Each structure stands twice: as structure tokens, then as C-alpha cells.
């Protein structure tokens, strides 16, 4: 089963082609913005490197969020467009899962994994996983200080592009808290592996975790 | 030649399939008006989310209605600007994905070009012609010299005509979108009951300025609003406002026609496009003017004047015939004037 996975939810654009337990080709470009201009070229590079074509794909996979609203739209519009174009099933993976599964089992052992993603608005998208990578609660938006409560739940391993916002909250020297060496952003190769073991999503709905900013008129 | 077109630059999610024989093979439009109505205007993030929620189904629907598969297409077009960036990204990424999958050309269409060329879907109208583009986000006089070649004669320096209608409707408590509501109410009103300014009339050129008119409406409303404004006064204000807009457009159009005729003697086509072209009162006023100036008025039917996918698919046909295709690295342009050489505010402004 050939799976094409890609991600544009955070500060990168990545794509990977996966078949029979291995990655045939992958690309990751770190970028703050501009994913819309490179995604399809990156995808085509990956297919070309693997000697594959769109017509030979069996499944697509991408990130559902949370993340940059713009990044989510770029990735999900492309996924929905490709799915429609090729009548392909799509597996949606949360950004939390994608980041969590990028952490090695050795690092995670005996620790609660806290995925903290930078919302770029001063707070964090947060979700905690146990050492088997089962989520312990729904993802949520939290101020950095509000994350202190996780310290009471056991030894922590923190990962994600928002991890740096928690340095002050937990302190550099806290023995109960460790900082993961993992990249902390979603990678298409990880998403592809996850997608191979899952059922396709019936509807590819974005996870924003934040309502649109809009104010009702007075009165 | 068959092209799929996608429009998602503002608050309509739309797609259509059109061929180069001027046939509309299928078209579909989802209006988000109800989602934005409580806010009295378009909320960009709500619009962006709705485009993503609806677009793929709409595209699937038009392909099914046209009884075509993607391999039957010759190109995929999408509005790439001007407009709200969230919707532009959803539309262009969907189009790029379909084009990439099937090895088809991608066409990044300027939304204003979609309006400018829309009448050519109906009949074989030769270039050049004079265009008045009037909508909620744009108000400009343009000479359409060819596909991709536009000469801006003048545009609004502040509010677009449709925007002035919407803001006036809001002041009168008529709700959003305001254009059709003002037109309806104005029928029962006496335009002479209130004296509103006619900005720019008598001045050279064909620029528009409508913020002064809007201010005058606001002051009029404030003066009347002790408790609530009697419905008769509301109708009178609506009529006075619409008549003022009509007077301004007739004056400015007269200047635009003379500039066009000086540059292209003997050419007589005057096209009105954009959502405001649906206004029957303004259409009648301009029709009278155009006849008197020895020009012919061409107005596409209403569904082709308001935002739609059909005009984008057609602009895609026009561009594809000339080989004007775009790469997948095309970056959407929230601001994208039709005439890049124009010095005045060129109408590349974002819808709002």
C-alpha cells in the first residue's frame, strides 16, 4: 500500500512516500510561511525520487491540526483536492500525535509526554500522552503558566515547537521535567507510518481549537 | 477545450465547468451570507473555514453534473487574487492539487479579470471595450484591451459602490448585504426628501469618492434618530442615497466614455460587471447615458455579475487559449490590480 503523506501545519513543509513499512522518499523544508507555493512541487519531487506517480497511490495522509490556521488550510485543501482528484481515502492525524510519535520510546519511557505547540499568540496548544502514546485528555489551548499543573502528574517529557515557552514555568533545573531531543514539529514520514496502521477518516475536518475572531455588533 | 474554475476570494464558494464553445457545462455556488449576517459584514476567518468545508463537495458536484471526469479537463483555474487570503489559499490549493494529480495546466486567475471577461462568455465581443466594474470590493473604469491587458481610467479613492450600499444599509438598520435591501426600500421613497452630496461630480477624470456621501447619510440618520426613524424616512433616505450614487456614476461614466472614445474612436461597447450591476435603478440610469453617448450597454445576467465560478472558468479558457498558464509555485495575491501600471489606487484592494 503506497501512502503519500504531507504536512504544512507548523514551520515546515514536508512530504513522504511510504510503502511496506519503509519510507521510499521524503523531503522536509523548514519555512515560516510560503508552504502554499512549495507543497505540490515538494510532493512531486518525492514521487519522482521514488519513481512513483499520483495514479499509483493507495492512500493520503495529512495533519488535521492544531497549528497555523493558514498552514492547516493549505495542507487540508491540498489533501481534499488530491483525494477528490484520485478518489483516494485520507487519514487525518492530529499535530499532537504527529509530534508525539516523533519522540523515541527510550526518551518517553516512564514519563508523561507533554506536547506543547506554539500558537504564535503567546499561548500553547497542549495535549498530554502516556508512555504508550495514548492521549490522556483532549487537546486544549493553555497559557504557559497553566501548564504547571502537569508537573504534579509524574515525571514529564516536553516536546513541541512551543516547548521553549515552558522553560520558565518548569525551571531549568527541575529534575521531574526533561526536554525532548525530537524535532518538535510534525514530519510527513511520521504521519505516513501512523496512517498505515489506521482506518481512513470519513471526513477530513480541521482541528482549530480556537473559534474565529469575530465580534457581534453591539446590541 | 474544457476548464474547471474555482472562486473563493470572498464569501461565495463556487465552481463551474465551461468550454471554449461558450457552454456552461455545470455551475454551483454556496453563499456564506447567512454565516456572516449576524456580524454585519464578512468575517475573514469564518469565510476561510467555510471555503475549506464546502469547496471539495462543490467541485465534485459540478464534475458530476457535467458528467465529466477530471481527465476530460484541459485545465484547472482558480481565483488567486485579489481577495481574502484564506479563501484564495483554499481555492488555489484545491485547483493545484487537481491539476497536479491529472497533469493538467493550472491557471491563476485575477478575480477582476473574471468580471472583465465575463461578457465574452455570452457573445463574441471584440476588444477593446469599456468596463465599469462595480461590486462590494471594487469600483473602477477600465479599458479592456485584451486578455491580460487592462488600462485603468479611474477607480474609487475610498469606498467601493457596493460597500457604500452595505454601510448605508447598516446605518438604516436594514442588515447585510445591503444592496438589494436599499434598492427595494428606495422604490417606496422620495429621493428629494433629503439632500445628499454628490461627491466628484463636475470634476475631471473618472475617479469616485463615496465616503463623504456615507458620512452625510450617517449625519442624517443621527439627526432623525430620536427614538426610531419612521419607515417613510428610511425609504426616503434609501431613495436619496441611491439617486446620489446614480448621479455620481452617470457623471463619472460620461467622462470615462469620452476618454475611451478619444483613444478608440468608433468602438462602442460599454460593459458593466460586478454585483452592483444587478441594481436595476443604476442600470437604467447608465443605460440612458450610454445611449445618449452613442455607445451600447452590455450587462451580463445577475448570476454572472455577482461572484461566481463560471467567470473564473471562462477566464481560464481565455488564458489557456493563449498559453497563459501558471506554475504550482504561484503565490496568491490579496492585492492584485488589473492594471499594474496605473498610478492611482488601482482597485487591488481586498474585499471587505
Amino acid at each position: 500500500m503506497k501512502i503519500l503523506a504531507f504536512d504544512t501545519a507548523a514551520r515546515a513543509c514536508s512530504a513522504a512516500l511510504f510503502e511496506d513499512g519503509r519510507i521510499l522518499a521524503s523531503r522536509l523544508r523548514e519555512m515560516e510561511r510560503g508552504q502554499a507555493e512549495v507543497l505540490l512541487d515538494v510532493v512531486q519531487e518525492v514521487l519522482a525520487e521514488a519513481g512513483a506517480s499520483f495514479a499509483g497511490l493507495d492512500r493520503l495522509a495529512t495533519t488535521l491540526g492544531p497549528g497555523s490556521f493558514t498552514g492547516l488550510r493549505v495542507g487540508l485543501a491540498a489533501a481534499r483536492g488530491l483525494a477528490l482528484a484520485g478518489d483516494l481515502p485520507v487519514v487525518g492525524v492530529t499535530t499532537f500525535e504527529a509530534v508525539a510519535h516523533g519522540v523515541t520510546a527510550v526518551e518517553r519511557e516512564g514519563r508523561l509526554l507533554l506536547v506543547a505547540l506554539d500558537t504564535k499568540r503567546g499561548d500553547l496548544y497542549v495535549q498530554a500522552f502516556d508512555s504508550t502514546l495514548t492521549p490522556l485528555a483532549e487537546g486544549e489551548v493553555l497559557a504557559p503558566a497553566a501548564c504547571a499543573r502537569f508537573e504534579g502528574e509524574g515525571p514529564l517529557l516536553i516536546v513541541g515547537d512551543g516547548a521553549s515557552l515552558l522553560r520558565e514555568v518548569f525551571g531549568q533545573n527541575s529534575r521531574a521535567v526533561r526536554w525532548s531531543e525530537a524535532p518538535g514539529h510534525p514530519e510527513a514520514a511520521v504521519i505516513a507510518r501512523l496512517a498505515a496502521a489506521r482506518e481512513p477518516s470519513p471526513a477530513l475536518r480541521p482541528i482549530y481549537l480556537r473559534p474565529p475572531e469575530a465580534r457581534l455588533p453591539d446590541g | 477545450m474544457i476548464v474547471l474554475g474555482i472562486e473563493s476570494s470572498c464569501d461565495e464558494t463556487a465552481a463551474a465547468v465551461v468550454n471554449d464553445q461558450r457552454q456552461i457545462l455545470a455551475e454551483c455556488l454556496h453563499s456564506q451570507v447567512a454565516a456572516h449576517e449576524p456580524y454585519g459584514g464578512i468575517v475573514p476567518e469564518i469565510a476561510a473555514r467555510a471555503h475549506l468545508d464546502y469547496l471539495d463537495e462543490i467541485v465534485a458536484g459540478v464534475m458530476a453534473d457535467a458528467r465529466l471526469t477530471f481527465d476530460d479537463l484541459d485545465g484547472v483555474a482558480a481565483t488567486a487574487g485579489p481577495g481574502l487570503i484564506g479563501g484564495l489559499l483554499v481555492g488555489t490549493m484545491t485547483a493545484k492539487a487537481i491539476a497536479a494529480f491529472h497533469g493538467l495546466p493550472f491557471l491563476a486567475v485575477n478575480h477582476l479579470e473574471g468580471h472583465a471577461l465575463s461578457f465574452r462568455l455570452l457573445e463574441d465581443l471584440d476588444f477593446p471595450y469599456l468596463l465599469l466594474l462595480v461590486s462590494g470590493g471594487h469600483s473602477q473604469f477600465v479599458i479592456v484591451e485584451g486578455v491580460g491587458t487592462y488600462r485603468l481610467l479611474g477607480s474609487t479613492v475610498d469606498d467601493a459602490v457596493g460597500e457604500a450600499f452595505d454601510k448605508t444599509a447598516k446605518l438604516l438598520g436594514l442588515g447585510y448585504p445591503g444592496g438589494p435591501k436599499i434598492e427595494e426600500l428606495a422604490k417606496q421613497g422620495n429621493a428629494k426628501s433629503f439632500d445628499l452630496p454628490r461627491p466628484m461630480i463636475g470634476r475631471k477624470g473618472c475617479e469616485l469618492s463615496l465616503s463623504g456621501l456615507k458620512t452625510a447619510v450617517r449625519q442624517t440618520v443621527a439627526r432623525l434618530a430620536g427614538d426610531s426613524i419612521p419607515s417613510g424616512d428610511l425609504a426616503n433616505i434609501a431613495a436619496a442615497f441611491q439617486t446620489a450614487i446614480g448621479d455620481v456614476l452617470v457623471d463619472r461614466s460620461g467622462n470615462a466614455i469620452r476618454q475611451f472614445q478619444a483613444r478608440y474612436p468608433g468602438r462602442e461597447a460599454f460593459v458593466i460587471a460586478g454585483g452592483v450591476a444587478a441594481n436595476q435603478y443604476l442600470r437604467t440610469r447608465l443605460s440612458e447615458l450610454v445611449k445618449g453617448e452613442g455607445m451600447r450597454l452590455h450587462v451580463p445576467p445577475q448570476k454572472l455579475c455577482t461572484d461566481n465560478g463560471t467567470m473564473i472558468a471562462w477566464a481560464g479558457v481565455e488564458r489557456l487559449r493563449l498559453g497563459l498558464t501558471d506554475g504550482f509555485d504561484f503565490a496568491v495575491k490579496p492585492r492584485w490590480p488589473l492594471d499594474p501600471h496605473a498610478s492611482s489606487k488601482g482597485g487591488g484592494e481586498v474585499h471587505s
Side-chain angles (χ1 to χ4, degrees), chain A residues 18-58:
Chain A
F18 176 92
E19 186 176 34
D20 297 335
R22 66 192 190 96
I23 299 292
L24 303 182
S26 69
R27 291 275 190 287
L28 187 142
R29 291 194 206 170
E30 294 195 7
M31 52 202 308
E32 280 290 325
R33 56 181 67 82
Q35 286 91 338
E37 290 102 76
V38 302
L39 176 60
L40 284 154
D41 288 334
V42 166
V43 162
Q44 289 186 321
E45 279 169 35
V46 164
L47 291 174
E49 187 187 312
S53 67
F54 281 112
L57 296 176
D58 299 296

Side-chain angles (χ1 to χ4, degrees), chain A residues 177-194:
Chain A
V177 177
R178 269 194 211 152
W179 309 86
S180 173
E181 304 288 327
H185 51 68
E187 288 189 8
V190 174
I191 295 163
R193 285 181 191 278
L194 276 170

Side-chain angles (χ1 to χ4, degrees), chain B:
Chain B
M1 180 183 286
I2 305 174
V3 173
L4 165 68
I6 291 171
E7 159 61 32
S8 55
S9 65
C10 193
D11 63 341
E12 320 274 8
T13 315
V17 184
V18 167
N19 68 17
D20 61 350
Q21 305 301 304
R22 298 203 171 85
Q23 289 169 316
I24 301 168
L25 304 178
E27 56 188 346
C28 180
L29 182 144
H30 170 80
S31 169
Q32 301 175 9
V33 164
H36 300 286
E37 206 268 339
Y39 303 94
I42 296 162
V43 181
E45 182 61 23
I46 290 177
R49 292 183 182 193
H51 287 304
L52 181 61
D53 287 346
Y54 289 103
L55 182 57
D56 60 347
E57 269 177 54
I58 288 171
V59 171
V62 294
M63 294 302 291
D65 288 350
R67 294 171 188 274
L68 294 174
T69 66
F70 290 108
D71 284 323
D72 297 320
L73 298 175
D74 295 286
V76 185
T79 302
L84 297 170
I85 190 164
L88 296 175
L89 284 171
V90 170
T92 52
M93 288 313 292
T94 304
K96 285 176 182 179
I98 295 168
F101 197 102
H102 291 282
L104 296 167
F106 165 66
L107 303 129
V109 171
N110 182 317
H111 178 85
L112 306 176
E113 179 166 54
H115 282 299
L117 299 176
S118 61
F119 196 79
R120 285 164 53 86
L121 169 61
L122 304 170
E123 51 185 86
D124 197 2
L125 178 66
D126 283 340
F127 301 117
Y129 53 84
L130 178 61
L131 169 74
L132 168 59
L133 176 55
V134 268
S135 69
H138 308 279
S139 295
Q140 53 190 293
F141 293 95
V142 175
I143 299 178
V144 181
E145 296 179 330
V147 176
T149 317
Y150 305 91
R151 183 181 296 275
L152 180 74
L153 299 180
S155 62
T156 182
V157 297
D158 40 54
D159 292 352
V161 175
E163 194 179 355
F165 268 90
D166 285 342
K167 286 177 176 171
T168 296
K170 207 169 174 176
L171 288 168
L172 299 182
L174 300 179
Y176 171 87
K181 289 173 177 161
I182 295 227
E183 184 179 6
E184 199 49 42
L185 191 59
K187 287 177 186 163
Q188 303 149 33
N190 177 2
K192 290 180 179 149
S193 306
F194 292 96
D195 189 21
L196 295 174
R198 270 96 172 124
M200 305 299 267
I201 281 194
R203 305 252 302 257
K204 274 198 304 188
C206 39
E207 294 195 320
L208 294 156
S209 170
L210 300 172
S211 67
L213 175 56
K214 176 187 62 191
T215 303
V217 172
R218 187 190 306 123
Q219 287 164 347
T220 304
V221 169
R223 204 168 57 236
L224 292 172
D227 310 315
S228 64
I229 305 172
S231 65
D233 278 344
L234 285 181
N236 290 342
I237 295 172
F241 166 79
Q242 186 172 258
T243 305
I245 293 275
D247 289 350
V248 169
L249 281 179
V250 164
D251 176 85
R252 308 279 85 192
S253 297
N255 287 359
I257 288 169
R258 284 181 282 281
Q259 284 185 35
F260 174 68
Q261 287 174 333
R263 186 174 283 274
Y264 294 107
R267 299 294 307 173
E268 57 184 20
F270 183 9
V271 174
I272 312 177
V276 178
N279 183 299
Q280 287 296 334
Y281 168 79
L282 295 178
R283 214 191 262 218
T284 305
R285 293 288 310 273
L286 288 166
S287 170
E288 288 161 3
L289 165 81
V290 164
K291 264 187 221 147
E293 298 282 347
M295 301 271 289
R296 271 174 211 272
L297 188 69
H298 301 281
V299 189
Q302 183 173 344
K303 69 169 188 175
L304 206 52
C305 275
T306 46
D307 289 355
N308 64 88
T310 308
M311 69 179 190
I312 302 305
W314 174 252
V317 167
E318 295 254 34
R319 295 186 72 81
L320 186 57
R321 288 198 288 219
L322 299 172
L324 300 171
T325 61
D326 298 281
F328 295 136
D329 59 350
F330 192 95
V332 298
K333 302 179 189 179
R335 291 180 55 81
W336 188 2
L338 267 183
D339 177 356
H341 306 296
S343 54
S344 64
K345 192 181 173 188
E349 65 267 49
V350 178
H351 295 254
S352 64

